[in-house]
Amino acid sequence: CMCISAAVTVYLSKRNYSPITSLLRTIHSKTNRQYDRSEHGELEFVRTILQQSFEENNLLSSRIENESHALREDFLLRALQGTWNQDGEEDAFSAHQISLLSDKFCAVLIRVESFDENLVGSRENSDTQRLLSLIFANIFEELCAASHQGFMLELGAMRQVGLLNFRGAPDEALTADVCSICMKLSDLLTNHFGICFTWAVSEIQSGLQGIHTAYAQAVHAMNYRFLYGKGKSILYRDVKNRPFRYNSAAESKASQILLNYVYQDSKETPAQATEAALACFEISPQDSCEAVQCIKYELTNTVGKIARQIGPSLPEEDSLIRRLFDADTLFDYRAILEEALNQLRQLRLSSHETHTICDKAASYIQDHYTDPNLNNNALGNALNISPSYLSRLFKLQFGQAPLDYLYQLRIESAKELLSHTAMTMEDIAVRTGFLNGTALIKIFRKIEGITPGAYRKLMQNNT
């Protein structure tokens, strides 16, 4: 027995048999990592490999979970937009690891109006939107979890949509629950992050198709933000089926009020003119958003027409017309309309002054075009205005610079003398305000494309 034991011991020693050695072989076969005695001890090497394996496993699990979450969000977004795959509803939800509490849903559309940048971050920071989405998702889903199931999805900059899946209960009770959840969400976000938002709630809908219907209702309700204002709650049930009420006679009256303010030099303030114009439509909280939007566009078009009639357009970089079209609320629209009326009135007065100065300049040139010393400086001195400023205004009104207008008058006079007299070029130059015949020939060829002599021959042949 002792001989056999010794023989087995020698054999196993030669095979280097031990649990650690076996584990090292397994690691090598699975990971192709080779143990190096000069770098690590056996236990340290095994511990390092196991730790790396655990970290890789956790990372892989996190990636799988994130991908699953992304796929679930994509499915819900497509369901909201009505572009989901037309497979069975139960299979569609289970395939994305969503366990429904019932077939009843409600959509809550959220528009972030403002927030405390010291707590959330700057609007210019790209990470701020992600932080906002995280805040909304965590708090909303936690508030829903007490009685129902909630999902918060990001739609874009400062826009979120919450989707609630309810436990069985009457629709009226469920709507009350939604409002309660949104009020709690508003209180928490206002108190802790300074976040103010407008939220629009759909009616209770059923099934996968109902998710799309609920979202469409929430979007329609959010359109009433223009009438309700920012930071309000809007329920679809309160705004649906409102009749379209629009008075074309009121439109004409309001347009006349705006025209009178800009052109008649009335003593009203821009605020008074704006209020008088809007009062023509008798806008009330019970109006449909479509009717109010029509009022907005008609008044804005009137402002645009006035601006085009006056002449120079408003600066592109700060166009009040564009701001009127883009106004989010009736309150904002009223303020921008006041600003537009004030600027249009100032623009008209400035345009009138510009036309008066340019008309004087044109008249002065007509009376003194034969003076060879008449130029921009002489014209500016005569009218007591900067020559460069006058040139800019003159070109804006007449489409050409004062000197071009002067040369045009001189050439027309020269053409008349060339056609009906035998005067020399020097005499014609003196009569028309040119310094000499050479200057006449040069300017004549530039404007008419031929020399004065060729023009005279042409006119003589025609007669």
Side-chain angles (χ1 to χ4, degrees):
C1 288
M2 291 178 64
C3 291
I4 293 173
S5 298
V8 171
T9 301
V10 171
Y11 174 75
L12 293 177
S13 298
K14 289 183 178 181
R15 292 292 303 271
N16 196 24
Y17 184 80
S18 72
I20 296 298
T21 302
S22 177
L23 186 56
L24 292 174
R25 288 199 187 100
T26 302
I27 291 174
H28 178 67
S29 64
K30 298 295 183 180
T31 66
N32 202 29
R33 297 281 298 275
Q34 182 66 48
Y35 168 64
D36 188 349
R37 295 178 182 275
S38 63
E39 294 183 1
H40 306 282
E42 291 178 342
L43 291 177
E44 182 182 355
F45 177 74
V46 171
R47 184 167 52 251
T48 301
I49 295 299
L50 290 176
Q51 183 177 356
Q52 292 177 354
S53 298
F54 287 136
E55 290 175 354
E56 291 175 358
N57 184 60
N58 291 336
L59 181 60
L60 181 60
S61 298
S62 177
R63 287 179 178 174
I64 293 174
E65 183 179 351
N66 289 338
E67 289 179 3
S68 176
H69 182 73
L71 290 173
R72 184 166 61 249
E73 284 195 348
D74 180 68
F75 164 69
L76 292 175
L77 284 172
R78 286 188 287 110
L80 288 167
Q81 297 166 0
T83 58
W84 69 89
N85 192 340
Q86 299 295 329
D87 294 336
E89 291 189 15
E90 292 185 4
D91 293 338
F93 284 104
S94 61
H96 294 87
Q97 300 177 0
I98 299 176
S99 299
L100 297 180
L101 301 178
S102 71
D103 68 338
K104 293 186 176 182
F105 296 92
C106 175
V108 179
L109 190 60
I110 290 174
R111 173 77 175 264
V112 178
E113 308 292 1
S114 61
F115 53 85
D116 189 336
E117 295 191 10
N118 294 324
L119 298 175
V120 181
S122 172
R123 283 181 176 268
E124 287 72 25
N125 192 332
S126 59
D127 293 332
T128 300
Q129 178 60 36
R130 287 193 291 271
L131 180 57
L132 280 172
S133 299
L134 183 63
I135 292 172
F136 271 97
N138 287 340
I139 299 179
F140 179 79
E141 293 174 9
E142 183 177 345
L143 289 173
C144 293
S147 304
H148 309 290
Q149 179 177 212
F151 307 93
M152 182 62 73
L153 308 170
E154 180 183 344
L155 293 180
M158 306 302 166
R159 295 172 62 237
Q160 312 279 333
V161 60
L163 184 64
L164 277 81
N165 177 224
F166 300 100
R167 297 187 188 276
D171 287 359
E172 286 299 322
L174 295 180
T175 301
D177 278 357
V178 176
C179 293
S180 176
I181 289 171
C182 290
M183 288 300 297
K184 291 178 181 177
L185 179 66
S186 177
D187 291 340
L188 285 170
L189 295 184
T190 301
N191 294 332
H192 294 282
F193 301 98
I195 299 175
C196 174
F197 62 92
T198 301
W199 44 279
V201 181
S202 73
E203 293 185 313
I204 310 303
Q205 301 294 331
S206 300
L208 193 54
Q209 175 63 43
I211 294 178
H212 173 57
T213 303
Y215 177 63
Q217 291 178 347
V219 171
H220 179 77
M222 184 59 77
N223 289 335
Y224 280 83
R225 174 173 171 267
F226 183 84
L227 189 58
Y228 278 59
K230 299 178 181 179
K232 307 294 184 180
S233 59
I234 311 170
L235 275 62
Y236 176 76
R237 70 181 183 186
D238 296 336
V239 299
K240 66 178 181 179
N241 300 328
R242 289 191 176 184
F244 183 87
R245 183 182 63 84
Y246 187 77
N247 188 342
S248 57
E251 173 196 335
S252 300
K253 185 177 180 181
S255 297
Q256 191 60 47
I257 290 174
L258 300 183
L259 286 166
N260 288 342
Y261 176 78
V262 174
Y263 284 104
Q264 299 301 322
D265 296 332
S266 65
K267 295 182 179 180
E268 289 183 317
T269 64
Q272 291 172 331
T274 298
E275 287 300 325
L278 291 174
C280 296
F281 297 97
E282 299 179 351
I283 299 174
S284 76
Q286 301 306 315
D287 284 328
S288 67
C289 66
E290 293 83 4
V292 177
Q293 289 293 343
C294 284
I295 294 171
K296 166 187 174 181
Y297 291 132
E298 289 300 333
L299 289 179
T300 303
N301 284 331
T302 299
V303 172
K305 291 177 183 178
I306 295 173
R308 289 190 293 272
Q309 290 171 2
I310 290 175
S313 60
L314 298 172
E316 293 182 0
E317 64 273 11
D318 187 27
S319 174
L320 292 177
I321 306 300
R322 174 50 52 193
R323 288 172 58 196
L324 283 169
F325 276 120
D326 294 341
D328 286 336
T329 67
L330 185 59
F331 178 83
D332 293 339
Y333 185 80
R334 181 182 288 105
I336 299 172
L337 182 57
E338 292 176 16
E339 187 179 350
L341 290 177
N342 182 58
Q343 184 164 338
L344 284 172
R345 189 168 187 173
Q346 297 301 322
L347 193 62
R348 182 189 68 81
L349 294 175
S350 175
S351 177
H352 178 72
E353 181 182 354
T354 296
H355 280 263
T356 301
I357 292 175
C358 293
D359 289 341
K360 288 182 179 179
S363 178
Y364 188 87
I365 292 173
Q366 293 168 9
D367 294 339
H368 300 85
Y369 76 91
T370 58
D371 182 0
N373 296 318
L374 182 60
N375 53 33
N376 278 336
N377 290 332
L379 186 60
N381 291 334
L383 299 176
N384 196 27
I385 189 174
S386 165
S388 59
Y389 181 60
L390 174 61
S391 179
R392 188 162 60 250
L393 296 179
F394 196 96
K395 191 171 184 179
L396 186 64
Q397 179 173 336
F398 291 98
Q400 59 182 166
L403 281 183
D404 293 332
Y405 183 78
L406 170 64
Y407 290 143
Q408 190 69 49
L409 287 177
R410 287 175 175 176
I411 293 301
E412 291 298 324
S413 179
K415 287 166 65 176
E416 185 70 21
L417 295 175
L418 288 169
S419 300
H420 299 96
T421 70
M423 295 174 61
T424 64
M425 294 299 166
E426 292 294 334
D427 291 338
I428 293 176
V430 172
R431 291 279 298 272
T432 55
F434 290 101
L435 291 175
N436 50 51
T438 302
L440 168 62
I441 294 171
K442 180 179 178 181
I443 299 300
F444 196 100
R445 178 184 293 171
K446 180 180 179 181
I447 294 177
E448 299 296 328
I450 59 175
T451 63
Y455 177 82
R456 170 175 277 175
K457 289 181 181 180
L458 180 64
M459 296 303 296
Q460 289 174 353
N461 292 335
N462 289 337
T463 56

